[in-house]
Amino acid sequence: MRSNNVLGIIFSNLHEDLIRELTAVRTTASVPFGGRYRMIDFPLSNMVNSGINKVGVITKHNYQSLMDHLGSGKSWDLSRNRKGLYILPPFGNNDSEFSSRIETLLAIESFFKRSTEEYVLLTDCHTVCNIDYQDVLSKHIQNNADITVIYKKGLLPEKLFKPAVYEVDSTGRVTTMLINPHNASEYNYGIDMTLIKKDLLMELLYECKSRNALDFKRDIIQSNVSKYNIFAYELKGFSATITSIVSYFKANMALMNSNIRKELFNSQNPIYTKVRDDMPTIYGLGSLCKNSLIANGCIIEGNVENSIIFRGVHIGKGTKVSNCVIMQDTQIGENSNLSYVISDKDVIIKNERSLMGYSSYPVYISKASVV
Amino acid sequence: MFPKQEVVAMLLAGGQGSRLGVLTKKLAKPAVPYGGKYRIIDFPLSNCINSGIEAVGVLTQYQPLVLNEYIGNGQPWDLDSMNSGVQVLSPYQQINGADWYSGTANAIYQNMNYIERYSPDYVVILSGDHIYKMDYSKMIDFHKSNNADCTVAVIDVPLEEASRFGILNTKDDGSIYEFEEKPKNPKSTKASMGIYVFSWNKLRKYLTEDAENPNSSNDFGKDILPTMLNKGERMFAYEFEGYWKDVGTIESLWESNMDLLDPKVTLNLRDESWKIYSRNPVMPPHYVSSDAKIQNSLIADGCNVYGEIDFSILFSGVNVAKGAVVRDSIIMPGATIEEGAVVQYAIVSENAVIGKNAVVGARPESIVDKGEWGIAVIGDNIHIGNSVIVAPKAMIDKDIEGEV
């Protein structure tokens, strides 16, 4: 039995500036990842696996690919009579071009009011992980917390936008919260996942609006550290927060580790995605494949090494692909050579092309380009 | 009252498929896995929806659990409309008692009320044991243009093989004048594919009469079609061209799978205009390690390949350990081949485990007496112990303990 009293809210557009190449034609939520997924598959699947059956996805622009991916929510079991998936684009003529998290949440005030859930779980789409939100909720209730923030322990990911770091006492309660800490050292850094009672969230939102205080981290969390019971929940195990094209590349490559795959694609809590009905991948005579993750629907006739190959990719004879992320339906001709390349969807690379990047600077080829 | 459907398809899926041995011990033949991710029934169901047929009755009888679960509400094939879609029809108790389906015609006869709901003009009868892609709407057009009462799909087979099939002898206009079941001296090479289009008013009449005939075996091929021919109904042969294979035996199932690895074979499952739909497992892409060697094979999502794969088909979630060798074989979902094991010319069923250094099957050239050779089959959830040797042609339905 899986169901609880939590409403899920996913912010689909935030952090786009960090990976501008990949988000030119899509939201952060719909960035392809790991051979067959989109970033939003992780928060959505985590929510569904944790018993959250009502999820609102907030989006404000570039959301065609997101809508296409989510459809009715069927692939996540969110196409339901009761509850289910709600896509929340800008609406009404005021506040429609909201820019802050607080304004965005105020703009869906009516969605909150119509929902009967007691708690709200807010999350962004830039972290890949397999997390049990039911456990977060149990600890939240056990701690008698007003707000629970989820954090990772370690060095701050490079370029993380306005990172929030927490000092936590032995009970797990947040004693101090810093935003943009000065020193480079190990921190308990927030990954933009917050659990809060819905009524408290609404109250804080109205209060912030009346004070024109529109920074979620500063005005809702930081300024309330002493006033409310704010607890921190540590996300242990594998996670990857995508803050740049290099960290995107590294997070994909991390999937070559079988322990990470077992953890992230745990069969008890699987990661769901849109179904495509591709046939299995065909390996031709003379193909060579080493240390790679390859999705269904591909034809591999050349050499593939240390690479992630998405659905429907064709790699021609004599072509060598190493250390690459090749997104869905890319067609690579014969006798080409690709190294450290991130190729977006529907790219065509003709015969005898050579593209070389470096681990700290992978070459990016934009959607539907012809090389 | 249901909106009218011009065509209703009835898919005969109740057969045991006893020639598939352990593969159909716990599931009906149409639910047997095929081609790395499909089940046989995906082909007729996908053909239906791609042909525009939206009402499909599936007649089940033998071991229906896996099949029922797989078909579910029909959503993967878009057969889940409000007033139509796929409907599983199992034998049921009636006011005068209960009967199993006594034959193919009887199965349809007992479910005439399902067909009548849609007031169709035509009924298509299909079977769940063939691999092929076919546009039934073209056959229905052919049926209409001939003003036929019954149309039987036929495929040209080599003359030397014709005596294995039901052969139709036709006049120049394509009309049928004779049926011959497995003739010793075939007059034609037109083999029946087991696909029939009937005008519903005629079929209803003959099914009702057949049910009243105590001497009938209630079978389409043996009873309904010959009776209609004798009564002078308009019966035509519709010639189909393309890939079509009966997968009713271990050898033909193995061959048909291997056909997917042969670029000369015309069965294209990547064709966007005629997709074969299936239920998709929720699994990550497959992983190929630095130690793996893969040649001319088909590999599905969720596999972990550390060994050598040659001319083989791996379904979803198969694990092949380092040093293991899989050649000319079919490994069904969730099976595990442990270190150093060698699997050749074999079918390994779902979730079976082949222990370390075990040897399953053999290459035909390594066997002196060709009569001893054949595809080795390991049943589902069977555990083959370490270093055990499974002979070619063996069919294993019990665990075999090996070295500890």
Side-chain angles (χ1 to χ4, degrees):
Chain A
M1 194 196 75
R2 277 171 166 171
S3 80
N4 56 36
N5 213 0
V6 181
L7 170 68
I9 295 286
I10 297 176
F11 292 92
S12 70
N13 288 100
L14 299 175
H15 314 288
E16 279 170 356
D17 294 348
L18 298 174
I19 38 170
R20 216 170 286 139
E21 298 91 337
L22 297 168
T23 55
V25 289
R26 56 172 78 92
T27 61
T28 301
S30 44
V31 166
F33 183 84
R36 66 193 294 258
Y37 303 95
R38 304 274 186 156
M39 292 299 286
I40 196 172
D41 292 337
F42 296 90
L44 262 187
S45 304
N46 287 334
M47 284 181 176
V48 170
N49 290 335
S50 309
I52 301 176
N53 295 328
K54 182 168 181 179
V55 181
V57 178
I58 296 179
T59 187
K60 60 177 182 180
H61 56 245
N62 252 352
Y63 48 76
Q64 194 187 338
S65 64
L66 180 67
M67 308 268 287
D68 180 46
H69 182 67
L70 295 177
S72 66
K74 173 79 198 154
S75 300
W76 299 265
D77 266 347
L78 286 172
S79 172
R80 326 166 54 107
N81 277 341
R82 300 176 311 125
K83 308 193 175 187
L85 178 74
Y86 295 78
I87 297 175
L88 305 165
F91 135 97
N93 49 12
N94 42 4
D95 286 340
S96 63
E97 273 305 308
F98 35 75
S99 51
S100 74
R101 211 182 272 261
I102 288 180
E103 288 168 293
T104 309
L105 289 171
L106 282 164
I108 57 162
E109 185 189 349
S110 57
F111 178 69
F112 284 123
K113 282 191 172 155
R114 279 199 312 273
S115 301
T116 54
E117 285 75 9
E118 191 179 352
Y119 300 94
V120 180
L121 179 81
L122 305 162
T123 179
D124 295 0
C125 285
H126 65 325
T127 298
V128 173
C129 64
N130 196 321
I131 180 174
D132 180 3
Y133 290 127
Q134 183 61 47
D135 189 49
V136 179
L137 178 67
S138 310
K139 298 267 160 52
H140 181 88
I141 292 169
Q142 206 179 312
N143 289 328
N144 199 19
D146 296 306
I147 301 174
T148 297
V149 290
I150 300 174
Y151 72 92
K152 278 287 289 184
K153 209 174 231 167
L155 290 173
L156 285 181
E158 254 181 288
K159 295 181 184 167
L160 189 63
F161 180 68
K162 277 211 213 162
V165 303
Y166 308 101
E167 278 173 31
V168 180
D169 70 13
S170 59
T171 64
R173 190 175 163 176
V174 174
T175 50
T176 317
M177 171 184 177
L178 301 174
I179 297 173
N180 274 327
H182 186 61
N183 293 329
S185 66
E186 284 220 339
Y187 287 110
N188 300 325
Y189 63 90
I191 49 172
D192 297 308
M193 295 178 188
T194 312
L195 181 68
I196 182 170
K197 264 204 177 131
K198 193 181 72 182
D199 292 344
L200 177 62
L201 175 67
M202 297 313 291
E203 188 189 318
L204 293 173
L205 288 173
Y206 293 137
E207 192 193 313
C208 285
K209 189 186 180 190
S210 63
R211 288 191 288 119
N212 198 29
L214 298 178
D215 186 323
F216 189 89
K217 282 179 194 168
R218 189 186 63 207
D219 302 316
I220 291 204
I221 314 279
Q222 195 179 33
S223 53
N224 287 318
V225 164
S226 49
K227 190 174 169 193
Y228 289 107
N229 269 336
I230 301 184
F231 275 78
Y233 179 97
E234 187 185 354
L235 170 60
K236 293 180 180 139
F238 175 77
S239 79
T241 299
I242 313 287
T243 51
S244 66
I245 196 96
V246 174
S247 67
Y248 171 79
F249 183 76
K250 279 188 185 156
N252 272 289
M253 291 302 160
L255 302 181
M256 304 300 177
N257 180 322
S258 69
N259 291 329
I260 289 178
R261 281 203 310 281
K262 267 181 206 151
E263 205 183 313
L264 191 59
F265 305 116
N266 169 349
S267 62
Q268 289 300 308
N269 295 303
I271 304 299
Y272 308 96
T273 190
K274 186 183 168 186
V275 165
R276 252 182 67 144
D277 283 299
D278 290 292
M279 76 175 288
T281 283
I282 302 171
Y283 287 84
L285 275 173
S287 69
L288 190 70
C289 183
K290 301 239 168 267
N291 192 40
S292 294
L293 204 59
I294 298 180
N296 268 356
C298 298
I299 301 180
I300 311 287
E301 294 179 300
N303 291 7
V304 180
E305 215 177 322
N306 308 329
S307 296
I308 305 263
I309 310 291
F310 283 67
R311 295 185 275 197
V313 169
H314 185 171
I315 293 172
K317 283 198 176 98
T319 284
K320 199 163 181 256
V321 173
S322 63
N323 301 294
C324 292
V325 175
I326 308 292
M327 292 186 205
Q328 53 273 46
D329 299 316
T330 291
Q331 307 295 312
I332 305 175
E334 296 180 4
N335 303 316
S336 286
N337 199 348
L338 277 71
S339 180
Y340 292 101
V341 170
I342 297 175
S343 148
D344 209 312
K345 263 183 89 170
D346 297 326
V347 165
I348 296 173
I349 295 169
K350 298 200 168 165
N351 296 349
E352 282 149 35
R353 297 294 187 266
S354 193
L355 294 159
M356 302 283 168
Y358 193 71
S359 60
S360 59
Y361 197 95
V363 174
Y364 170 77
I365 305 167
S366 61
K367 188 175 166 183
S369 307
V370 178
V371 179
Chain B
M1 191 55 198
F2 284 84
K4 178 185 168 74
Q5 295 279 346
E6 189 191 13
V7 182
V8 171
M10 297 296 271
L11 207 167
L12 298 161
Q16 179 182 353
S18 54
R19 287 173 301 164
L20 288 175
V22 292
L23 295 182
T24 52
K25 194 174 165 192
K26 291 176 208 151
L27 44 81
K29 181 154 72 167
V32 168
Y34 171 83
K37 74 171 284 197
Y38 308 97
R39 292 189 188 264
I40 296 168
I41 198 170
D42 288 331
F43 287 81
L45 287 180
S46 300
N47 286 338
C48 279
I49 197 70
N50 286 333
S51 305
I53 299 174
E54 292 180 346
V56 183
V58 179
L59 299 130
T60 62
Q61 179 155 285
Y62 173 78
Q63 285 285 14
L65 176 64
V66 174
L67 188 60
N68 288 353
E69 177 190 58
Y70 187 71
I71 295 169
N73 68 346
Q75 185 269 336
W77 306 270
D78 275 350
L79 288 169
D80 60 340
S81 305
M82 263 184 285
N83 292 314
S84 58
V86 65
Q87 178 72 49
V88 174
L89 303 165
S90 51
Y92 56 97
Q93 203 170 27
Q94 305 177 40
I95 196 153
N96 302 325
D99 274 318
W100 293 104
Y101 297 149
S102 58
T104 50
N106 179 258
I108 307 294
Y109 173 75
Q110 289 202 41
N111 288 287
M112 291 212 302
N113 52 354
Y114 168 76
I115 300 172
E116 294 279 22
R117 298 200 294 182
Y118 296 110
S119 324
D121 299 326
Y122 308 101
V123 170
V124 183
I125 308 291
L126 304 168
S127 63
D129 39 15
H130 300 123
I131 300 297
Y132 64 112
K133 299 203 296 183
M134 177 174 179
D135 188 345
Y136 303 134
S137 71
K138 287 184 181 158
M139 182 173 170
I140 294 159
D141 289 344
F142 176 87
H143 179 88
K144 287 185 207 167
S145 66
N146 284 313
N147 202 14
D149 300 308
C150 171
T151 301
V152 181
V154 294
I155 188 157
D156 207 30
V157 293
L159 186 62
E160 60 271 24
E161 288 180 27
S163 50
R164 287 172 39 215
F165 293 92
I167 295 295
L168 272 63
N169 299 321
T170 56
K171 297 178 192 158
D172 291 343
D173 66 351
S175 62
I176 302 166
Y177 70 86
E178 190 183 22
F179 293 104
E180 287 185 295
E181 190 60 27
K182 298 183 180 155
K184 284 214 178 72
N185 300 304
K187 292 178 208 145
S188 94
T189 53
K190 287 182 181 137
S192 168
M193 297 164 66
I195 299 167
Y196 316 117
V197 174
F198 290 97
S199 296
W200 172 232
N201 54 4
K202 289 283 176 175
L203 180 61
R204 184 175 45 205
K205 172 171 172 271
Y206 282 96
L207 282 177
T208 312
E209 286 172 13
D210 179 71
E212 286 159 3
N213 177 1
N215 299 322
S216 171
S217 56
N218 310 121
D219 185 88
F220 273 100
K222 291 194 196 105
D223 305 292
I224 301 286
L225 296 182
T227 310
M228 285 181 78
L229 195 65
N230 287 340
K231 293 272 171 68
E233 303 289 0
R234 288 178 66 80
M235 302 183 77
F236 284 79
Y238 172 77
E239 292 184 39
F240 172 77
E241 279 174 24
Y243 185 89
W244 177 82
K245 193 142 194 158
D246 183 296
V247 286
T249 62
I250 294 292
E251 289 70 29
S252 63
L253 178 68
W254 181 84
E255 275 169 24
S256 183
N257 273 280
M258 291 303 148
D259 281 346
L260 293 173
L261 300 175
D262 184 350
K264 288 183 218 118
V265 169
T266 53
L267 180 68
N268 176 10
L269 301 183
R270 297 174 57 86
D271 179 4
E272 285 292 315
S273 67
W274 203 272
K275 262 197 176 181
I276 302 301
Y277 301 95
S278 66
R279 269 189 202 278
N280 288 266
V282 178
M283 288 196 182
H286 65 264
Y287 175 71
V288 180
S289 87
S290 297
D291 303 313
K293 279 186 200 150
I294 304 175
Q295 286 296 302
N296 201 37
S297 293
L298 212 57
I299 299 184
D301 280 344
C303 294
N304 288 297
V305 183
Y306 291 82
E308 193 180 327
I309 314 290
D310 230 17
F311 284 76
S312 293
I313 294 182
L314 266 52
F315 283 71
S316 61
V318 167
N319 290 303
V320 179
K322 197 171 165 181
V325 178
V326 176
R327 287 199 196 98
D328 304 286
S329 294
I330 300 161
I331 315 293
M332 291 185 179
T336 299
I337 316 295
E338 294 183 347
E339 281 165 42
V342 178
V343 176
Q344 300 185 108
Y345 289 90
I347 298 177
V348 176
S349 300
E350 294 175 64
N351 304 315
V353 177
I354 310 298
K356 286 176 191 160
N357 302 315
V359 177
V360 175
R363 308 192 68 80
E365 55 269 30
S366 66
I367 301 285
V368 184
D369 180 0
K370 295 300 175 220
E372 303 267 296
W373 185 82
I375 305 296
V377 184
I378 310 294
D380 63 300
N381 294 291
I382 295 296
H383 189 277
I384 302 294
N386 295 348
S387 306
V388 166
I389 294 177
V390 175
K393 214 175 176 175
M395 200 171 264
I396 309 296
D397 63 353
K398 282 197 181 73
D399 290 357
I400 302 179
E401 279 181 39
E403 293 172 10
V404 181

